[in-house]
Amino acid sequence: MTNVLVTGGAGFIGYHLSNLLLRKGFNVTVLDNFSDYYSVKMKQLNAQELEEAGTKIIHGSILDPESVNKALSNEIEIVFHFAAQPGVRYSTANPEKSLRINIEGTSQVLTICNKKKIKKVVVASSSSVFGLQEYLPIDELHPKNPISYYGVSKLTVEKIVEITRRLYPEIDISIIRPFTVIGARQRPDMAINTFLSSALQGKTINIFGDGTQTRDWTHVDNIVEATYLMGTMPNARNEDFNIGSGIRTSVNDVLKLISDETKTELKIKYVDFDKADVKDTLANITKAEQILKYKPQKSLLIAIRAFIDDYLKNRSTFTQ
Ligand SMILES: NC(=O)c1ccc[n+]([C@@H]2O[C@H](COP(=O)([O-])OP(=O)(O)OC[C@H]3O[C@@H](n4cnc5c(N)ncnc54)[C@H](O)[C@@H]3O)[C@@H](O)[C@H]2O)c1
């Protein structure tokens, strides 16, 4: 059985990725510090479920060399590095935290991976590295001019990967740039989560801007499938991939879907557009389709339904 490490495995994407890897028959270890950026209980629930399914959970920070060394001591062959301080808006208020965790943390993980002669690493970057779009859909060659501290932290992560590839060619590092990920157990700070949880609780939904902004909302199952392919397919060696659904939908259209699905009249308040937010995103997934044979199988609507279903089952945990 192949031993793999998922950093950030107690979080939203890491939880779904770890589950997929378990289903594929891997021996999964998770390194996570259960950061209090959002409900620690929510992460504990994720970790508990993973542990019951056979995952080894290590409680520790990617900033702490001892924890990273411990996590990589298990004859790990593939590392999926998803631990991070996410959140564009959070990074406006707390730039030092986003920069430190994402940049120093990734540098630490890659340095120790290199020392331990790990064969393959998949690093989570973000579509935020692109900043304001110069054209749509956004391919891997689109200029990278981030407009948030979070975007800068991820662009620096990509630069660290490039340097590591150059200095240590024996390590194979691929970069995934997910476009707005949605589904069950989505982070509470993310738009669809706040829209849906407010709708389900009858609260007012604040929309930044006029709601005409569009996103490539991507079901988390599509993202983790692409991540798995990147970690296991030999032709993904040292490649970067933009991963989305390849479809963009406006915030106003998403609100309509949510109103239909929750059968509620939404209370909406339009507030000023956030300067750290981009207007539109849409992934060009041609490279992933060609090299990885990636096919986004699950739609925005399926992700919304999965979120509602899980939210209603686990509401007491998720609202804390
Ligand atoms: N969710 C999205 O739409 C999206 C889009 C693009 C990129 N990403 C990237 O994907 C990754 C996962 O995002 P997510 O949405 O699942 O976020 P998340 O916050 O749910 O997951 C991140 C996990 O990392 C852990 N973590 C934070 N700091 C840590 C540290 N110092 N040491 C160890 N663990 C630490 C957290 O406890 C959490 O469990 C991140 O790298 C994020 O930047 C996410």
Side-chain angles (χ1 to χ4, degrees):
M1 268 218 261
T2 306
N3 296 318
V4 300
L5 173 69
V6 180
T7 72
F12 166 47
I13 302 175
Y15 161 77
H16 289 279
L17 175 63
S18 301
N19 261 323
L20 176 73
L21 294 166
L22 288 168
R23 287 200 301 276
K24 299 271 184 193
F26 290 88
N27 248 339
V28 183
T29 299
V30 158
L31 172 65
D32 202 298
N33 73 345
F34 296 81
S35 106
D36 61 2
Y37 173 53
Y38 63 86
S39 164
V40 173
K41 260 194 149 181
M42 191 164 160
K43 294 175 187 178
Q44 284 167 342
L45 177 76
N46 291 342
Q48 191 189 323
E49 284 183 19
L50 291 174
E51 202 164 26
E52 281 164 11
T55 304
K56 181 177 177 191
I57 308 285
I58 298 176
H59 197 304
S61 173
I62 50 168
L63 295 170
D64 167 33
E66 216 176 286
S67 297
V68 180
N69 265 304
K70 187 175 164 201
L72 285 171
S73 61
N74 239 350
E75 295 184 21
I76 299 287
E77 288 178 48
I78 311 171
V79 173
F80 297 93
H81 174 45
F82 279 71
Q85 175 54 61
V88 165
R89 288 197 194 101
Y90 181 83
S91 80
T92 304
N94 307 276
E96 69 299 331
K97 211 168 162 198
S98 309
L99 294 167
R100 177 151 189 259
I101 295 173
N102 299 348
I103 297 171
E104 281 184 43
T106 302
S107 167
Q108 174 98 267
V109 168
L110 290 182
T111 302
I112 299 176
C113 280
N114 194 44
K115 281 196 191 127
K116 299 264 187 190
K117 306 209 179 313
I118 302 297
K119 290 184 200 146
K120 175 85 202 185
V121 187
V122 180
V123 171
S125 178
S126 165
S127 59
S128 298
V129 297
F130 294 114
L132 299 175
Q133 84 283 355
E134 293 188 10
Y135 55 84
L136 291 175
I138 298 172
D139 59 13
E140 286 76 6
L141 300 175
H142 186 286
K144 299 188 186 84
N145 295 308
I147 58 165
S148 63
Y149 295 111
Y150 170 70
V152 167
S153 76
K154 289 291 183 177
L155 183 56
T156 311
V157 160
E158 294 200 8
K159 292 288 171 198
I160 292 169
V161 168
E162 271 175 36
I163 291 164
T164 311
R165 283 174 182 159
R166 182 184 288 264
L167 294 177
Y168 306 104
E170 55 287 357
I171 234 196
D172 163 12
I173 314 170
S174 299
I175 291 175
I176 178 165
R177 296 188 195 102
F179 281 58
T180 317
V181 190
I182 56 173
R185 306 191 182 198
Q186 193 200 29
R187 288 189 347 244
D189 61 315
M190 297 193 72
I192 291 220
N193 189 317
T194 57
F195 301 167
L196 276 163
S197 46
S198 300
L200 292 166
Q201 293 170 51
K203 288 187 187 161
T204 301
I205 302 172
N206 282 336
I207 300 298
F208 296 92
D210 61 6
T212 58
Q213 65 269 37
T214 60
R215 292 286 176 273
D216 184 332
W217 316 92
T218 313
H219 195 302
V220 66
D221 286 359
N222 299 335
I223 294 289
V224 301
E225 179 64 24
T227 307
Y228 162 73
L229 293 170
M230 287 173 65
T232 53
M233 285 181 70
N235 54 352
R237 191 177 168 82
N238 289 324
E239 293 284 356
D240 306 346
F241 294 97
N242 292 355
I243 303 292
S245 67
I247 299 167
R248 71 187 169 115
T249 308
S250 73
V251 165
N252 286 333
D253 285 345
V254 165
L255 292 169
K256 259 190 243 137
L257 276 179
I258 289 175
S259 174
D260 291 348
E261 285 302 308
T262 57
K263 298 182 183 55
T264 50
E265 188 90 26
L266 303 184
K267 293 179 211 153
I268 297 170
K269 187 177 163 203
Y270 290 94
V271 299
D272 286 346
F273 196 73
D274 192 304
K275 283 199 245 98
D277 272 345
V278 297
K279 178 77 173 49
D280 301 294
T281 68
L282 176 64
N284 182 330
I285 53 172
T286 308
K287 183 178 172 187
E289 285 172 333
Q290 285 171 353
I291 297 182
L292 302 174
K293 308 291 171 226
Y294 164 70
K295 244 185 179 350
Q297 305 276 5
K298 295 195 180 166
S299 67
L300 165 65
L301 183 59
I302 291 179
I304 287 176
R305 286 181 180 157
F307 179 95
I308 294 173
D309 193 42
D310 199 62
Y311 181 91
L312 294 177
K313 272 192 211 136
N314 298 285
R315 184 197 301 248
S316 62
T317 307
F318 289 9
T319 48
Q320 287 173 41

